Amino acid sequence: MPRLNGPEYLPDHNQIDSVVIFLHGFGADGQDLIGLAPFFASHLPTTAFYAPDGPEICEISPFGRQWFSLARYDADYLRRQTATQATAFEAMYEGAQDASGSLQSYIDHVQKKHNVSADKIALVGFSQGTMMALHLAFRQKTPFAGIVGFSGALVGASHLISDKTCTCPVLLVHGEADEMLPIHAVDLAAEGLTQGGIDVSVLKRPHLPHAIDEEGCHAAVTFLGDKFSNQNQKST
């Protein structure tokens, strides 16, 4: 099982009471999302930010990383057609499952480093990173504060109820002009999560392609600030 590494962004003080872990998309690496950290930190000043590189060299780009192979689980690009997305996402369950061990170890290491409870950790994913975040989050011993998923999908929806060991709130943000993972993906994810008893909110962004925009970032920091604040209130 590979040990993950990647960039980090820490506050310039010792008061860290929460952690956000960014999970990049297929063909990128941790540097792709750690650039969001300064903006997030301006709203979450006592949060540490991490962005691990995926465990595998990307199969289509030696300069990028992947969490799992897409050529193996969706060689026919079924994920890009509304009618066949559900089939594609179901097939990716095995890939996400295989990648989850190294990511879990990384999260456990960061949690121990900062001595924070699981309910002060949030995962923020993009595309394949969202798939990993949604796969890992509901298979924890104790729940995370929340999950933000940009432009992603829920893989292996048929396994969720039987695999689920906890729940946490989810915010899904998706562009209506996404050609890589058309907007139907977020509808499938919301349906699967709701059927699994998970609290999910959806923000659809008009004209947005497979990307993260300013409105989505504002929604994300508002969501995370609320979830971290709720945990602070529960502990007092």
Side-chain angles (χ1 to χ4, degrees), residues 138 154 157 160-161 164 166-167 190-199:
F138 313 114
L154 174 67
L160 180 58
I161 292 176
K164 186 182 69 172
C166 69
T167 67
E191 179 183 1
L193 293 171
T194 300
Q195 289 178 350
I198 294 157
D199 179 17

Side-chain angles (χ1 to χ4, degrees), residues 75-203:
D76 296 324
Y77 293 89
L78 300 182
R79 63 189 180 275
R80 296 190 182 178
Q81 301 297 324
T82 295
T84 53
Q85 281 183 322
T87 299
F89 299 147
E90 193 66 26
M92 294 178 193
Y93 172 83
E94 182 182 342
Q97 186 74 0
D98 288 346
S100 63
S102 57
L103 178 55
Q104 184 69 62
S105 294
Y106 180 88
I107 294 171
D108 291 345
H109 171 75
V110 171
Q111 179 179 0
K112 183 176 180 181
K113 176 181 177 180
H114 293 293
N115 191 31
V116 296
S117 56
D119 61 11
K120 298 311 294 289
I121 295 174
L123 306 184
V124 177
F126 174 74
S127 194
Q128 195 179 56
T130 292
M131 297 178 188
M132 290 304 304
L134 294 177
H135 182 82
L136 202 67
F138 313 114
R139 295 165 174 86
Q140 300 295 303
K141 294 179 180 178
T142 52
F144 295 135
I147 304 298
V148 177
F150 292 101
S151 304
L154 174 67
V155 302
S158 68
H159 299 268
L160 180 58
I161 292 176
S162 59
D163 285 1
K164 186 182 69 172
T165 56
C166 69
T167 67
C168 68
V170 174
L171 171 65
L172 299 177
V173 184
H174 213 107
E176 293 183 354
D178 193 330
E179 295 181 351
M180 304 293 288
L181 290 176
I183 189 69
H184 184 57
V186 79
D187 296 329
L188 289 172
E191 179 183 1
L193 293 171
T194 300
Q195 289 178 350
I198 294 157
D199 179 17
V200 56
S201 301
V202 174
L203 174 62

Side-chain angles (χ1 to χ4, degrees), residues 19-31:
V19 171
V20 166
I21 297 177
F22 293 112
L23 303 178
H24 66 78
F26 180 81
D29 59 21
Q31 290 292 343

